[in-house]
Amino acid sequence: MTSTPDDPQGPIRGKLDLAPQERVVFGRPAAEALLEELSSAGLKRAFVTSTRSLARAEGGPLARILDGLGTACVGVFDTISAHSPEAEVVEAANAARAAGADVLVAVGGGSVIDSTKAVQICLEEGVDSVEGLRAQAERWKPSSDLRPKGVIRAISVSTTLSAAEFTGMAGISNPEAGVKHGFAKPALIPRVAILDPAASDATPLDLLVSTGMRAMDHACEAFCSPTANPMTDLYALGAAHRLSRALPAILEHPEDLLARQDAQFGMWQAILALMGGAGSGASHGIGYALGAGFGVPHGVTSCVMLPAVMRWNAVENGDRQRALAAALGDPGRPAGDLLAELVQGLGVPGTLRAAGLTEADLPTLAEKAMGYGPVKRNPRRIDGPEQVREILALAF
């Protein structure tokens, strides 16, 4: 959906493009749900993507998925790294092609799911090299007239709270250049998303709650977006309220599957706010530059940048931020302060310095951040790197 307040006295204008996701399955064992989905769709040759850490987790979510698939699994690529490096995408695609896969199964967090979306592009376009994948970037943009065939789709089993399983976007990194290439078409959204809270049992707690802050980033920036609307407000405030309680509960009681599921629902609500027309802002845009250029994990970028961006934006959208603070539990305090305290309580990095950056890195980070669209869509206008530097000073 897109919306615009071009006539403040008239109705909100917009449109909603419905993504072709067939189903979200929640609260069931992932292996059981996956087999049911494959059977109902007549799919028999699953190629599984995942990470080294999940491959090492004895009895973990990947092991349970592979045990459940049995001979229906025709191949596994379990070495996907953070930020979805393009070379790994191509290697996985070549393996899936050789295996004759008819469905991709992503078991992991945002990097795995994004990589699997790009594998789908490679299979559809006959791409077998990094150069070939880069050449597809402009074709797989929302503005292009490409109509994907969707000859092979993915099913996701989420192990973090990144929400990549709900979008048709993928960020694939070029480590040598320190940038990310964005691919976006509705056909890239996994046809089925499986949300099993037990699938996060092998995920380190710091990773789980930091990706939960990524979901909080989705909620907060959506609610404060100039293109927010009544539907997105409902999702965003609900997500902020739910996540602010679920994430500390996960740390306090790691074995509590209900807390983990509550966070999954918060993640889902937050991404629905973005998908419903509310845009992201500078926290997301600077976060992309932090990830691609400095190797900071997705979730940590939100832990570091979201409180600072909210503080910098407060002069522009103070009323909105007060409503957000109420959802976070204290309408009498600044939302940025509440978010910073939440991050501190989760025990994850909350500053650029804690994330490994130095003052010497800030000019480069500011320049790189200007290359990402969300920075230019920030509620408080950002005209150049000097304003990004003001935000970075608050985050340092």
Side-chain angles (χ1 to χ4, degrees):
M1 176 184 282
T2 57
S3 56
T4 174
D6 38 8
D7 180 3
Q9 304 304 315
I12 297 171
R13 300 179 182 181
K15 61 182 179 180
L16 174 64
D17 296 322
L18 296 175
Q21 188 162 57
E22 296 174 13
R23 192 171 298 109
V24 178
V25 181
F26 50 89
R28 293 180 58 195
E32 172 188 299
L34 176 60
L35 286 178
E36 186 175 296
E37 293 299 327
L38 296 181
S39 176
S40 66
L43 299 167
K44 302 179 184 301
R45 301 180 63 80
F47 186 88
V48 179
T49 56
S50 195
T51 65
R52 290 182 180 88
S53 60
L54 288 174
R56 292 193 298 265
E58 187 174 349
L62 178 60
R64 297 194 294 269
I65 289 293
L66 295 179
D67 287 346
L69 284 173
T71 58
C73 177
V74 296
V76 181
F77 188 91
D78 57 14
T79 56
I80 291 175
S81 305
H83 301 295
S84 311
E86 53 195 4
E88 294 177 6
V89 166
V90 173
E91 186 179 353
N94 290 341
R97 184 183 297 112
D102 62 7
V103 64
L104 304 172
V105 177
V107 182
S111 294
V112 171
I113 296 170
D114 275 11
S115 294
T116 306
K117 295 171 185 176
V119 168
Q120 182 181 327
I121 293 173
C122 292
L123 296 178
E124 175 151 330
E125 301 285 357
V127 169
D128 60 4
S129 68
V130 167
E131 293 72 22
L133 178 59
R134 290 175 185 169
Q136 295 297 327
E138 290 306 313
R139 298 186 71 234
W140 288 78
K141 296 285 189 196
S143 57
S144 79
D145 59 3
L146 177 69
R147 297 290 182 268
K149 303 179 183 68
V151 293
I152 188 166
R153 297 282 299 281
I155 296 175
S156 65
V157 177
S158 312
T159 63
T160 72
L161 299 166
S162 72
E165 61 270 41
F166 294 108
T167 79
M169 299 179 289
I172 307 302
S173 66
N174 175 343
E176 291 77 24
V179 297
K180 275 194 172 184
H181 300 292
F183 300 84
K185 283 291 180 183
L188 295 180
I189 191 170
R191 63 189 298 272
V192 178
I194 298 174
L195 302 181
D196 172 9
S200 66
D201 60 4
T203 304
L205 287 179
D206 60 343
L207 174 59
L208 187 60
V209 298
S210 67
T211 58
M213 283 304 301
R214 184 68 170 178
M216 180 67 83
D217 201 348
H218 295 157
C220 293
E221 292 219 301
F223 184 69
C224 294
S225 167
T227 58
N229 60 64
M231 288 299 293
T232 63
D233 287 352
L234 182 68
Y235 288 128
L237 290 179
H241 178 78
R242 190 176 299 274
L243 289 164
S244 68
R245 287 149 180 77
L247 299 180
I250 289 172
L251 285 185
E252 187 173 355
H253 301 289
E255 73 291 343
D256 185 356
L257 291 184
L258 293 181
R260 291 172 184 248
Q261 185 177 56
D262 213 25
Q264 288 182 330
F265 279 121
M267 164 195 70
W268 188 3
Q269 288 176 311
I271 201 67
L272 285 172
L274 286 183
M275 294 168 63
S280 56
S283 180
H284 277 70
I286 299 172
Y288 296 149
L290 266 175
F294 298 89
V296 179
H298 281 302
V300 174
T301 66
S302 293
C303 296
V304 170
M305 294 312 310
L306 179 60
V309 169
M310 296 295 292
R311 287 163 169 160
W312 193 80
N313 284 344
V315 298
E316 182 71 25
N317 54 16
D319 289 344
R320 280 257 144 183
Q321 293 206 28
R322 281 186 284 276
L324 180 60
L328 294 170
D330 192 343
R333 298 186 58 209
D337 291 356
L338 295 175
L339 291 166
E341 289 178 9
L342 177 60
V343 169
Q344 183 177 20
L346 296 177
V348 291
T351 65
L352 289 167
R353 189 189 303 272
L357 275 75
T358 68
E359 287 193 63
D361 294 321
L362 302 187
T364 299
L365 175 56
E367 291 285 349
K368 286 182 176 292
M370 289 305 301
Y372 292 94
V375 171
K376 299 167 185 174
R377 297 193 299 268
N378 190 61
R380 182 179 173 187
R381 183 169 171 171
I382 296 175
D383 292 314
E386 62 280 359
Q387 283 140 335
V388 177
R389 287 286 301 274
E390 294 176 11
I391 299 171
L392 299 182
L394 294 174
F396 192 73

